Amino acid sequence: MTELTPGTWPLDPTHTSASFTVRHAGISKVRGSFGEVEGALTVAEGGQDLAFTATLQTASVDTGNADRDGHLRSGDFFDAEKNPTITFTSTEHSGDELTGDLTIAGVTKPVTLDLSYEGAATDPFGTYRCGFTAETKISRKEFGLTWNAALEAGGVLVSDEVKIAIEAEFVAPTAA
C-alpha cells in the first residue's frame, strides 16, 4: 500500500456508497443503500496504522421503492425516529481485515470486514484522495431486526443474512 499522509482524512460522501443486499422470499435479492453517509480515516505516523469511522443516516435508506423504504424506517426495522444513525468504529486493522463495532438500532456488535485498498491519486483539481472497499455479512437478528413473515410454502419473507458493501473515498488532510 502506498504510504498515506498521517492525519485525519475526511470521507467524501459524493464518491462513497454504503449498500446492502438481502434475500427476499428465498427467490430474489433486494438491494438498498444509504444516501447520507459521513466518516473519516485516521492514519497514524508511518502511514500504516489505519482507523475508520462512519455514520449512516437511517432515514436516508433507499431501495428504489418508497413503501419498502418507509417500512425499513419504521419500528419493524431501523426505527429511524428513535435510532437516527447506524455507526461503525474500527478497533483493529490487520492487512486485508478491518474489525470494529457496528451499531444498528441501538445494538452494538463486533464485525470483521474484508478490506481492500484501491489506491491513491491526485484528481484534476489537485486534491489527493485514496479509496477502500469493504464487505461483510451480518445476522440482522443479532441487531434486534427480527421482523419477518412466514411464507405459505415454508421459509420466511426476509433472510437473516445481510451482505454489506462499502466503496469509500477519502480526501487527504490539508496542511494547517
Side-chain angles (χ1 to χ4, degrees):
M1 171 169 43
T2 303
E3 188 172 301
L4 299 174
T5 304
T8 299
W9 295 56
L11 183 76
D12 179 351
T14 61
H15 295 103
T16 296
S17 67
S19 61
F20 61 90
T21 305
V22 63
R23 293 204 56 81
H24 179 261
I27 59 171
S28 66
K29 295 177 184 174
V30 170
R31 290 173 172 76
S33 63
F34 293 89
E36 294 180 39
V37 57
E38 49 188 54
L41 160 65
T42 302
V43 180
E45 289 299 325
Q48 297 299 314
D49 291 330
L50 309 176
F52 295 84
T53 61
T55 301
L56 312 173
Q57 299 298 317
T58 54
S60 73
V61 68
D62 181 6
T63 64
N65 180 285
D67 289 339
R68 180 173 43 230
D69 296 347
H71 191 202
L72 288 171
R73 291 179 190 114
S74 78
D76 286 342
F77 289 95
F78 298 127
D79 197 354
E81 198 168 298
K82 183 179 173 186
N83 303 296
T85 61
I86 294 171
T87 62
F88 176 80
T89 302
S90 68
T91 56
E92 182 180 352
H93 168 245
S94 176
D96 60 357
E97 285 191 343
L98 181 67
T99 301
D101 293 326
L102 178 63
T103 302
I104 302 174
V107 177
T108 302
K109 297 282 183 183
V111 297
T112 299
L113 298 99
D114 296 325
L115 182 70
S116 297
Y117 174 63
E118 302 298 342
T122 301
D123 69 22
F125 309 102
T127 304
Y128 193 62
R129 303 167 171 275
C130 70
F132 290 86
T133 300
E135 297 179 337
T136 195
K137 296 176 187 175
I138 63 167
S139 161
R140 66 186 182 88
K141 290 177 186 172
E142 288 184 5
F143 292 90
L145 305 177
T146 59
W147 182 90
N148 225 328
L151 299 174
E152 186 177 304
V156 292
L157 188 62
V158 183
S159 69
D160 178 49
E161 182 180 270
V162 179
K163 295 179 182 179
I164 298 171
I166 298 139
E167 296 284 339
E169 191 170 301
F170 300 91
V171 177
T174 54

